[in-house]
Amino acid sequence: MRYYYPDYFKTFKCASGKACPDSCCHIWQITVDKKTLKKYKKVKGSLGKRMCEKIDKKTGNIKPYGEDNRCEFLNKDNLCDIVLGLGEDYLCHTCHTHPRHEEVYYNVRERSLAITCPIACKELLMREEPVVIEMEEDNKKDQYYKYFDQPLFGQLEYIRDSMLKLVQDRSIGIWERMALLLGMAHDLQRRIIKRQCRKKNNILDRIKPAYPEFLPGEKEDIKRIISAYSDVSAYRQMVYNILDGKRKEKGTAGNITPKQALTDMLFTLCTMEPLRNTWIPYIRSIINIRSQMDDKEYKSCQKEFRDKITDVQLEQLLFYFIYLYCCSSTYDQMLLAKVKMAVANTIIIRELWFMKWLEEDKTLTADAQAWMAHWFIREVENSDENLEQWDSLMQRNQRFSLKTLINIINSYNPL
């Protein structure tokens, strides 16, 4: 088994109680794993009675309560009564590991530190040095995978590593890096689809999924595409091809300004299930403020805001999302959608910072940056329905077309 994780993964320490600005023990439903649920059934006394009443015996769900959707065992001091009464060994798997996250692949585990945690988010945004992905191995093997697209996963690992290298190439501007990632993913997506169409059509392949190998020529194509988009000279040509209509891409960039395109992207957040009851009202207030700004005022404020955040902060966010999402396209073959999601998340967080800066009389603290970034990601990723909808929007909604994203990126780029 191979284990991958960022170099800061093992050093993270949770800020418990009121020291944490936004406890992970509320806003989302916690499910107790079966092993821990058996331990809880043996607990006696008042705590055991509460567990029996508040934890679903079949599903293990701890239903949140109140306006803040708090966990039943989170007390007024924001401390866990289970830990206080029984110790950390009695925490369920979710509570014990969060914000540590693990993506599962055949004989591979990719671990990350979820920036839904405000502490982890702030530490990442304040980091100056490039993140390093580390790897460990042991003798364990997966036994329960019947079908896994190993040929695609192998290529995606190579692609992901190449993308992460591009993300951290500080000789290239951050906005050019975002555009190059999109162009690379667009061209690679075509190769993935082409390979997928080579499935055999006999009756056995209809029963058992077929995962054809990549042909030598297809592997060479992948290397050539990665090499081409690793050069900053590809940026201008790509922007010209997409925005000037040389490439027939579907999209809404046309006569829509980057300001309106971003407002449309923010509007889609209002169509999702809100986890915090103040989320949608806040997004609507942002949209209202934006509607009252004319294009000239908006551009002037954006120009003034440009130096308030650094390329490194955007790089750390982009690196985090590419590392987290890229290889998950093993399961649906939608690499372009995953890269779009990484870029769109980074752009939206940057725009939320911009609006917060305006709201706070053109000031933006590190705490405010961490809060806005973690709040957005928490609303998207802490709900399976929201995350599935977000992924679907990247695949099908014209608000997130390649053309629209490139148009926004080009407007941000100071060159």
Side-chain angles (χ1 to χ4, degrees), residues 70 215 256 309 329:
R70 293 170 66 86
L215 299 175
I256 295 181
I309 56 174
S329 50

Side-chain angles (χ1 to χ4, degrees), residues 354-368:
F354 170 67
M355 297 307 299
K356 186 68 175 177
W357 174 75
L358 288 176
E359 181 185 339
E360 299 295 333
D361 296 323
K362 298 186 176 181
T363 60
L364 185 67
T365 65
D367 286 336

Side-chain angles (χ1 to χ4, degrees), residues 165 218 234 305 348 381:
K165 185 177 179 181
E218 291 171 335
F305 179 69
I348 288 173
E381 293 190 353

Side-chain angles (χ1 to χ4, degrees), residues 28-54:
W28 60 318
Q29 181 173 278
I30 297 168
T31 300
V32 180
D33 57 280
K34 291 181 180 180
K35 183 178 179 181
T36 307
L37 195 58
K38 288 181 181 179
K39 292 171 66 176
Y40 287 175
K41 290 178 179 178
K42 298 177 182 178
V43 177
K44 305 296 182 181
S46 59
L47 182 57
K49 184 179 179 182
R50 281 176 65 194
M51 287 176 166
C52 184
E53 294 173 350
K54 303 300 183 182

Side-chain angles (χ1 to χ4, degrees), residues 257-260 290 293-301:
T257 64
K259 173 197 168 189
Q260 184 58 49
R290 295 170 70 84
M293 300 174 68
D294 58 35
D295 289 342
K296 185 177 181 181
E297 180 186 4
Y298 179 79
K299 288 179 180 178
S300 175
C301 289

